[in-house]
Amino acid sequence: MSRRRGIMSESFKEELAKELGFYDTVKKEGWGGIKARDAGNMVRLAIEKAESATAGIKNQHND
């Protein structure tokens, strides 16, 4: 069975972890060391960023 590829790149996940303040935990313990709440906040922030980017693209097309 092949390993499933993640949707978010490693660098994007690291950027989010830095922004949310738990990147030190990731560096020390890996992604398995973060709290479920932190993981949820990371997903929420990623969705917000994607929605903002999508809205920006739509606005460019409407100009």
Side-chain angles (χ1 to χ4, degrees), residues 21-42:
F22 59 86
Y23 182 66
D24 286 342
T25 301
V26 173
K27 283 193 323 187
K28 290 176 188 171
E29 301 176 34
W31 291 107
I34 66 172
K35 297 175 184 173
R37 178 174 292 205
D38 290 335
N41 288 336
M42 191 171 75

Side-chain angles (χ1 to χ4, degrees), residues 5-61:
R5 208 169 126 192
I7 294 172
M8 291 191 279
S9 70
E10 192 70 19
S11 61
F12 184 57
K13 290 192 296 187
E14 290 174 359
E15 175 188 328
L16 295 173
K18 288 174 186 174
E19 194 169 329
L20 293 168
F22 59 86
Y23 182 66
D24 286 342
T25 301
V26 173
K27 283 193 323 187
K28 290 176 188 171
E29 301 176 34
W31 291 107
I34 66 172
K35 297 175 184 173
R37 178 174 292 205
D38 290 335
N41 288 336
M42 191 171 75
V43 171
R44 180 188 45 78
L45 183 57
I47 291 168
E48 288 174 6
K49 287 179 177 275
E51 287 174 342
S52 293
T54 302
I57 291 169
K58 286 181 182 178
N59 289 337
Q60 288 177 356
H61 290 293

